[in-house]
Amino acid sequence: MLGRYNPPLENAVSIAGAGTQGDGVLMGLAVGADMLDVAYIKATYGFKLNPKHIDELSTIYWSGGIIVNKNAKRFVDESQSYKILGDYALAQPEGKSFIVC
């Protein structure tokens, strides 16, 4: 659903309840509802690998860590908002990045 309504987030990892597939949205669309403002959803940056819960967020990069892509290239100023960092990270190869401490 993210890829359909907010293509830059198509490869983002989602933390949601088991079985959450957008069924309610699909039911609404089937009877004429529409989606608004979904393009404004932003990814939050800094989760541990394969997160299962919102508490697995890490902002260690604000304590001196650096963020690099799969090619070990630093691509962003880590002092920015985690929402801005999410945009930059998703634009990297395979939408992947790593925090090096």
Side-chain angles (χ1 to χ4, degrees):
M1 296 289 288
L2 280 174
R4 180 176 175 184
Y5 292 103
N6 193 328
L9 296 182
E10 185 170 16
N11 294 320
V13 174
S14 175
I15 300 174
T20 302
Q21 299 293 314
D23 296 339
V25 171
L26 295 173
M27 288 188 299
L29 293 172
V31 295
D34 199 0
M35 297 287 288
L36 295 175
D37 298 331
V38 183
Y40 296 103
I41 295 173
K42 294 287 225 172
T44 298
Y45 185 79
F47 282 92
K48 297 177 184 176
L49 189 61
N50 302 314
K52 302 286 186 234
H53 192 271
I54 193 74
D55 289 342
E56 296 182 60
L57 179 68
S58 172
T59 55
I60 191 123
Y61 47 85
W62 284 336
S63 297
I66 63 168
I67 301 171
V68 298
N69 64 19
K70 287 184 64 172
N71 301 318
K73 181 180 178 189
R74 187 176 181 196
F75 60 89
V76 69
D77 170 1
E78 295 83 358
S79 69
Q80 296 183 65
S81 161
Y82 58 90
K83 296 295 185 181
I84 300 298
L85 294 174
D87 291 341
Y88 281 104
L90 287 171
Q92 297 308 303
E94 297 181 35
K96 294 181 180 181
S97 62
F98 306 88
I99 302 169
V100 179
C101 303

